Amino acid sequence: MNYIKEQIKDGVSLHLIINENFKTDFTVIFLSIPLKKDTVTKNALIPAILKDGCRKYINYQSISEELEMLYGALFDCGLDKTGDNLVLKFYIESINDKYLPEKNNNLEKVIDLLFEIVFNPLIEENKFNEKYLKLEKKNLELLINSIKDEKDLYAYEKCINIMYKDSGYGISKYGKIGDLEKITSENLYEQYKKIISSSKIDIIVSGNYEKESIEQKIKENKLIKSLNPRNDILNKNNYKTEIKEIIQNPEIKKEEMDIAQGKLVIGLDILPNNLGDFRFIAIVYNSIFGNGVNSKLFQIVREKESLAYTTKSEYIVQKNNIFIRCGIECEKYEKTVELIEKLLEDMEKGDFTEEDIRKSKEYILSGIDSINEEQDSQILFKFGQELSKLPLSLEEYKENIKKVTKNQVIEFAKKIQINTIYFLKSGGKNADN
Amino acid sequence: MQIIENKLIKEKIYIEKLKSGFTIMCIPKTNTRKKYAICAVGYGSNDNKFIKSDEDKETIIPDGVAHFLEHKLFEQENGTNSLDTLSALGVEANAYTTNDHTAYLFECTNNFEEALAELLKYVQNPYFTNENVEKEKGIITQEINMYNDEPDWKVYINCMKALYKINPIRIDVAGSVESIKKITKDILYECYNNFYVPENMILTLVGDFNPEQTIEKIKTKITIKSKLKAQVIEEQEEFKINKKEISEKMDISTSIFSIAYKVNPIEKEKVKRSLAIEILLEILFGESSKCYKELYERGLIYENLSTSFEWGRNYAHVLIQGKSENIKEVEKLLKQTIKDSEKQGIEEKNFERAKRKLYGMYVREFNNVDQEAIMFTSNYFKKVNPFEYIENYKIISKEYLEKVQKEVFKEENYVISCIKPKESDE
């Protein structure tokens, strides 16, 4: 694998990842901006309306026709919340020419198409198409309403929302239905222009291609040339900036829905400590405690006590949090929470063996080794590095994991506090939205 | 050793059938550090009625045994659990059950040999006790409940219930909370002994391998006793739908639907026909179709409309699934689209685009080690060589499509399953 990063302009970067491992090429555009309450709903509409048509391909149907002619290239777009920032993402996955029945210049055509969709939208009289805006508003409304259809995700979002309220990380990336009314095709176009001129832009091409020709093609593209240089306006979220305060009692919130299985989410804070760059300790801690089949959550909550089918914990590096998520029988709530509290205490007491650490590290290291084995995980890793401003090679990453000691994990465990317990349980009433 | 190759997508499969009947399939890949191994058994949730090779009477078992076995096989006599052992080697291990097979797998970048030895050991050495079987019921109950809360799954299984009266495709792979209560250690051993036999098993390997050497080495580790596989009793069901419509209410925000046409499950030209049906579905309802444009722009569907053709032992059906606030109107438009297409025939340019799209989809199936291993394994049990799809792509004609179109979309074979929000008064 060969990776080259180039600064096209201030705030606009091109990342070329060249490898021969895959039959597909990925072309990706990420537009990153701070996550704000007053713009989030508008931002959520932008990828949706861009996919409905651009100047060259005036509706979704003609974009789809072009994608199909490129041997079923797959387009997708969406939103990601990364710390207190929002990423608008657009990508096309296409078949590499080497595996086509004939030469088609698939990648070159895909790059052009993606640039057209993102940077040359369908604008009439300084505004987006009214008909499509109406449609996308309706779609977004349905999407926001449907969050509660996926109970596990709904419970997770709810817990985050309780912990961070309505600011930064607590904001739902899809925004609020109440905002939709005020959004017009004019002010949405204004917001689009603002994003294009101020967001951090990352263009990533991954696949098996000639570096020079693709690089030149992108740099000389008119739409890329017309982009202005921009300053970095993103929020900084990392293990140093996210300071958590000690709280006396965790917040407990229970809601009811008509469901068979209860969803328990516990939000943990990582308190200030003197462990330095503790990210790697946190990864090992999380792995022993709740990630993977050898973890305490899986072995004890699921296997030993049969309390859950799904049970895991996830470390959110940008926010100094760990979230525990379990699907449990509703009557077993008290028992499960007590057990999890005990398992957290066990971690503090050092109730785990060197063998547990070794197993966890093995599991983490093999995860790191497989990052380069998939195009999308490779792209996301590179992009994550780009956003975190704490660049790290995979080798360094592995070395740092190997260095973590049992004592460090115990010290780290003492700095974990329960912030919030959220439980979605069965009951006749609907949860309030 | 049999070697099958496809030059266009640059892939080769090595297949060796051992004397015992056990099959090893190896797909070598370069430029990857990942290795993927699946040990699979031709025993799935549909196999719940059979005659053992040494008896003449019928055995009927509770629903969910194949899946229960999948959960329990990891447990070893010395008290260890192979899932933990594999995970401690840094490999990602898992298992899954389908309606016609059960698969035990792992993927790794390191420690392949140790992991493979562990995989083959636990699949060939069951250890069930009354105690460990009872304990598993709690976990599987939670798994069943989790699926019961998932509207997408519910709408699908209800659709199967509408299509089929007898075929076990209509029941949950995991069984029900009630049926698994009846599962005992003895039933698990009985099914294991009668289905986990060499002639019914395959090991699929995908990754950076030297196929000849790898297969040679593995042969010695296959020690499972030869025995004749039990004969599954398949009740042939009439080619007729069971119920026109099944509708249910759940705590969701927008209605979802699964529309299906029951298709005659014929063996002849199965790959060619299934490819033709998928091309047809693209032409009729794909994202560039007139029908999709209308559904989308009128706000009749939301998110997307997914179409697929599913087939297996004694079943075949076309599925059209989506989310809508006005399902009646969607149904009307879909049916009208089919009618128009039958009358007007298929346009050349639409045919070409759909073919290209399908070609891309099939190439993707060969793009990563995980997907490939799973795809080769499931095709093996369907008795299909996956390269056939790429090969048949060239020979399908418009006339053939038009013929298939007439066979597939028959009003009398149409069913619909919906899940509607609690508040809706429909």
Side-chain angles (χ1 to χ4, degrees):
Chain A
M1 193 261 298
N2 195 1
Y3 169 68
I4 305 114
K5 181 188 163 184
E6 272 192 63
Q7 204 69 34
I8 300 184
K9 278 169 194 164
D10 281 343
V12 181
S13 315
L14 174 62
H15 309 258
L16 300 171
I17 304 173
I18 301 167
N19 49 32
E20 294 175 1
N21 303 16
F22 307 100
K23 294 186 171 72
T24 46
D25 301 320
F26 269 75
T27 307
V28 186
I29 299 174
F30 290 126
L31 309 175
S32 312
I33 46 176
L35 185 56
K36 283 185 193 144
K37 204 173 145 186
D38 55 335
T39 53
V40 66
T41 315
K42 271 187 196 160
N43 295 337
L45 280 169
I46 285 174
I49 200 154
L50 292 180
K51 76 163 195 308
D52 284 339
C54 54
R55 283 233 162 99
K56 199 164 167 195
Y57 305 97
I58 55 158
N59 55 33
Y60 188 67
Q61 190 184 24
S62 49
I63 293 177
S64 301
E65 283 179 2
E66 177 66 9
L67 289 164
E68 287 168 9
M69 286 310 280
L70 300 170
Y71 287 89
L74 298 176
F75 168 81
D76 206 358
C77 59
L79 307 157
D80 262 347
K81 180 160 74 169
T82 309
D84 295 355
N85 297 309
L86 184 71
V87 181
L88 282 64
K89 49 180 189 178
F90 304 86
Y91 60 88
I92 300 184
E93 183 203 318
S94 54
I95 307 293
N96 187 283
D97 261 30
K98 286 199 175 119
Y99 301 95
L100 294 182
E102 65 199 1
K103 191 170 161 57
N104 195 45
N105 291 324
N106 243 17
L107 181 58
E108 284 80 356
K109 290 179 187 164
V110 159
I111 292 172
D112 280 338
L113 173 61
L114 193 62
F115 288 170
E116 290 293 331
I117 295 172
V118 177
F119 299 117
N120 198 12
L122 186 64
I123 300 300
E124 296 145 351
E125 296 162 16
N126 253 333
K127 58 186 192 192
F128 280 112
N129 180 299
E130 299 280 359
K131 186 174 83 181
Y132 291 144
L133 178 64
K134 200 173 148 212
L135 191 68
E136 293 308 339
K137 277 191 187 179
K138 175 77 186 159
N139 283 343
L140 184 60
E141 185 181 334
L142 289 168
L143 178 66
I144 294 170
N145 281 331
S146 74
I147 294 171
K148 75 161 194 184
D149 296 352
E150 281 190 54
K151 319 300 176 201
D152 174 51
L153 220 64
Y154 172 81
Y156 181 47
E157 285 260 322
K158 267 310 242 269
C159 185
I160 293 176
N161 184 257
I162 294 164
M163 281 166 79
Y164 289 95
K165 307 290 181 278
D166 268 345
S167 69
Y169 201 59
I171 301 170
S172 161
K173 64 181 179 181
Y174 298 121
K176 280 207 167 102
I177 291 174
D179 295 343
L180 287 170
E181 208 186 322
K182 290 165 281 169
I183 299 176
T184 63
S185 47
E186 287 90 357
N187 66 28
L188 189 64
Y189 182 48
E190 286 309 310
Q191 178 64 14
Y192 166 80
K193 285 194 285 188
K194 224 162 129 188
I195 289 176
I196 295 300
S197 64
S198 67
S199 64
K200 169 172 168 49
I201 299 183
D202 291 278
I203 300 165
I204 307 180
V205 183
S206 158
N208 190 357
Y209 55 85
E210 288 279 334
K211 177 190 166 260
E212 281 71 27
S213 73
I214 293 296
E215 183 184 1
Q216 198 185 1
K217 180 166 179 59
I218 292 173
K219 283 184 173 166
E220 280 169 14
N221 181 290
K222 256 197 253 159
L223 297 166
I224 299 299
K225 275 188 161 168
S226 68
L227 293 170
N228 57 289
R230 69 267 332 268
N231 296 324
D232 184 359
I233 50 166
L234 291 182
N235 289 312
K236 307 277 174 291
N237 300 112
N238 60 47
Y239 72 96
K240 282 183 255 179
T241 58
E242 299 301 304
I243 315 281
K244 308 290 177 196
E245 281 163 23
I246 295 179
I247 52 170
Q248 290 316 312
N249 290 306
E251 186 161 346
I252 298 172
K253 169 107 177 154
K254 293 181 192 173
E255 276 185 288
E256 289 183 357
M257 252 196 219
D258 186 7
I259 47 175
Q261 187 181 67
K263 303 289 181 190
L264 173 67
V265 184
I266 301 180
L268 308 175
D269 289 332
I270 302 168
L271 295 171
N273 55 60
N274 47 22
L275 289 160
D277 184 353
F278 56 80
R279 288 176 295 161
F280 309 98
I281 306 171
I283 293 169
V284 175
Y285 170 90
N286 185 52
S287 170
I288 297 172
F289 178 72
N291 192 12
V293 296
N294 280 307
S295 68
K296 286 185 179 287
L297 283 184
F298 192 93
Q299 284 301 329
I300 300 173
V301 176
R302 175 179 148 135
E303 294 293 309
K304 188 157 168 245
E305 302 289 337
S306 290
L307 288 169
Y309 172 67
T310 55
T311 169
K312 63 180 174 197
S313 65
E314 191 181 349
Y315 167 46
I316 306 294
V317 58
Q318 298 91 353
K319 298 303 292 179
N320 276 345
N321 288 125
I322 291 173
F323 287 93
I324 300 169
R325 295 159 74 174
C326 309
I328 60 171
E329 229 176 284
C330 293
E331 297 74 52
K332 303 277 172 68
Y333 167 78
E334 306 287 340
K335 194 175 170 195
T336 311
V337 172
E338 271 171 36
L339 181 60
I340 289 174
E341 283 171 340
K342 184 188 167 289
L343 295 177
L344 287 169
E345 278 167 33
D346 289 348
M347 292 296 293
E348 284 179 48
K349 289 187 209 140
D351 188 8
F352 51 91
T353 61
E354 287 293 342
E355 181 61 8
D356 290 331
I357 296 196
R358 192 195 61 76
K359 285 181 191 170
S360 289
K361 284 185 181 175
E362 192 77 51
Y363 184 70
I364 299 163
L365 295 175
S366 99
I368 300 173
D369 275 336
S370 45
I371 289 176
N372 275 336
E373 296 295 319
E374 268 166 48
Q375 265 168 309
D376 50 351
S377 64
Q378 196 174 46
I379 290 169
L380 289 178
F381 182 76
K382 290 278 175 232
F383 181 60
Q385 299 277 297
E386 176 75 25
L387 280 187
S388 76
K389 304 245 157 50
L390 298 164
L392 193 71
S393 71
L394 291 180
E395 277 315 307
E396 289 169 306
Y397 187 1
K398 281 162 71 173
E399 283 314 308
N400 280 308
I401 292 290
K402 285 181 194 161
K403 274 191 249 162
V404 174
T405 65
K406 183 174 177 185
N407 266 337
Q408 284 177 315
V409 176
I410 296 172
E411 285 313 307
F412 180 83
K414 292 178 183 158
K415 297 295 175 186
I416 294 290
Q417 77 174 1
I418 298 180
N419 179 302
T420 299
I421 300 175
Y422 175 83
F423 187 50
L424 184 64
K425 59 179 182 172
S426 64
K429 277 184 301 175
N430 283 343
D432 50 328
N433 287 313
Chain B
M1 189 177 310
Q2 192 193 356
I3 303 173
I4 312 173
E5 184 175 11
N6 183 294
K7 292 213 164 74
L8 190 55
I9 51 167
K10 302 169 181 67
E11 295 277 350
K12 261 189 194 177
I13 324 175
Y14 295 73
I15 304 169
E16 171 108 335
K17 198 167 177 128
L18 308 184
K19 271 201 205 97
S20 63
F22 191 101
T23 302
I24 304 174
M25 187 155 68
C26 185
I27 299 99
K29 305 282 256 182
T30 47
N31 293 321
T32 178
R33 292 184 56 187
K34 219 189 222 178
K35 290 188 167 82
Y36 207 97
I38 301 183
C39 185
V41 185
Y43 176 56
S45 59
N46 285 6
D47 305 316
N48 48 15
K49 218 182 213 186
F50 50 84
I51 300 173
K52 292 182 219 163
S53 60
D54 44 11
E55 280 179 7
D56 3 291
K57 65 172 201 303
E58 212 176 274
T59 304
I60 301 176
I61 51 161
D63 292 342
V65 171
H67 173 260
F68 207 110
L69 258 176
E70 173 223 305
H71 270 240
K72 285 291 21 126
L73 214 51
F74 290 105
E75 224 132 328
Q76 295 296 293
E77 194 170 358
N78 62 7
T80 60
N81 183 307
S82 291
L83 195 58
D84 310 346
T85 312
L86 286 166
S87 179
L89 287 167
V91 316
E92 188 84 42
N94 213 335
Y96 62 82
T97 309
T98 72
N99 58 61
D100 64 3
H101 69 278
T102 311
Y104 302 88
L105 58 92
F106 70 85
E107 62 172 280
C108 68
T109 45
N110 299 309
N111 298 331
F112 172 76
E113 304 228 334
E114 294 91 323
L116 183 68
E118 183 68 28
L119 173 73
L120 293 174
K121 189 185 93 188
Y122 85 76
V123 173
Q124 300 182 83
N125 292 289
Y127 179 70
F128 313 130
T129 63
N130 288 330
E131 200 193 354
N132 73 24
V133 168
E134 280 316 304
K135 192 202 74 181
E136 203 65 24
K137 290 182 181 172
I139 298 171
I140 297 177
T141 299
Q142 283 312 312
E143 187 179 357
I144 293 170
N145 281 340
M146 183 178 83
Y147 284 114
N148 280 337
D149 281 340
E150 280 176 20
D152 290 340
W153 185 83
K154 211 78 220 225
V155 79
Y156 171 81
I157 202 79
N158 284 351
C159 186
M160 295 303 116
K161 289 189 168 121
L163 284 169
Y164 301 95
K165 202 180 232 152
I166 305 170
N167 195 302
I169 185 101
R170 68 198 299 284
I171 53 169
D172 181 356
V173 167
S176 65
V177 173
E178 287 311 307
S179 77
I180 64 163
K181 280 188 190 147
K182 294 179 222 143
I183 296 175
T184 61
K185 168 187 113 179
D186 296 335
I187 294 178
L188 293 183
Y189 272 121
E190 188 179 12
C191 293
Y192 181 90
N193 291 332
N194 285 285
F195 286 99
Y196 283 59
V197 295
E199 61 151 327
N200 200 27
M201 295 172 81
I202 180 171
L203 177 69
T204 311
L205 303 170
V206 186
D208 187 10
F209 291 108
N210 174 322
E212 282 93 354
Q213 285 175 12
T214 311
I215 291 177
E216 213 41 54
K217 235 193 238 167
I218 290 168
K219 278 184 182 174
T220 56
K221 293 188 181 125
I222 311 296
T223 53
I224 191 160
K225 272 199 310 256
S226 276
K227 184 178 189 236
L228 275 178
K229 188 188 125 183
Q231 210 53 46
V232 174
I233 300 167
E234 290 170 22
E235 276 178 73
Q236 294 297 332
E237 91 170 69
E238 252 185 297
F239 182 55
K240 212 171 88 182
I241 60 160
N242 180 32
K243 236 178 176 179
K244 272 248 146 254
E245 181 174 351
I246 297 182
S247 185
E248 211 176 307
K249 288 191 175 182
M250 280 177 87
D251 206 340
I252 55 168
S253 58
T254 314
S255 298
I256 54 175
F257 61 87
S258 270
I259 285 170
Y261 284 93
K262 193 166 181 171
V263 178
N264 209 352
I266 45 172
E267 277 293 304
K268 204 180 131 238
E269 295 187 330
K270 52 188 178 187
V271 170
K272 187 177 171 193
R273 192 168 75 138
S274 105
L275 190 56
I277 294 174
E278 295 200 49
I279 293 175
L280 262 176
L281 289 170
E282 270 312 318
I283 295 174
L284 296 171
F285 313 118
E287 298 193 343
S288 69
S289 67
K290 208 177 116 223
C291 173
Y292 188 89
K293 182 169 192 265
E294 190 170 343
L295 287 169
Y296 187 77
E297 295 195 349
R298 282 174 61 196
L300 286 172
I301 49 155
Y302 140 71
E303 283 176 359
N304 59 7
L305 186 72
S306 79
T307 58
S308 57
F309 176 55
E310 295 187 331
W311 61 275
R313 230 164 50 200
N314 298 325
Y315 70 85
H317 48 259
V318 158
L319 267 182
I320 306 167
Q321 296 176 291
K323 230 179 214 188
S324 175
E325 289 185 311
N326 192 345
I327 295 175
K328 284 264 166 300
E329 205 51 34
V330 174
E331 281 189 275
K332 223 166 95 187
L333 198 57
L334 295 180
K335 287 183 180 174
Q336 190 58 45
T337 302
I338 293 165
K339 238 187 233 160
D340 292 349
S341 170
E342 283 178 2
K343 213 164 33 188
Q344 295 153 9
I346 289 161
E347 269 188 64
E348 190 60 50
K349 64 175 204 309
N350 296 345
F351 177 41
E352 176 60 28
R353 278 202 321 273
K355 264 206 310 194
R356 285 189 179 208
K357 182 169 181 185
L358 263 292
Y359 178 86
M361 252 174 60
Y362 283 109
V363 174
R364 272 191 190 88
E365 301 250 1
F366 298 90
N367 199 30
N368 73 44
V369 172
D370 332 16
Q371 248 174 312
E372 251 179 90
I374 292 172
M375 187 260 302
F376 276 108
T377 305
S378 85
N379 275 314
Y380 171 82
F381 289 110
K382 283 188 170 177
K383 302 190 176 60
V384 166
N385 156 15
F387 296 151
E388 273 182 57
Y389 286 95
I390 299 271
E391 285 147 11
N392 270 288
Y393 149 89
K394 287 170 284 190
I395 56 169
I396 285 182
S397 67
K398 235 176 62 171
E399 291 65 36
Y400 183 72
L401 282 192
E402 283 164 357
K403 183 185 133 232
V404 170
Q405 173 168 269
K406 288 211 181 78
E407 284 167 24
V408 169
F409 299 104
K410 291 210 173 103
E411 182 58 29
E412 68 263 31
N413 297 331
Y414 176 94
V415 303
I416 179 165
S417 145
C418 306
I419 306 282
K420 292 172 181 164
K422 277 260 146 93
E423 308 85 57
S424 90
D425 21 75
E426 267 181 81

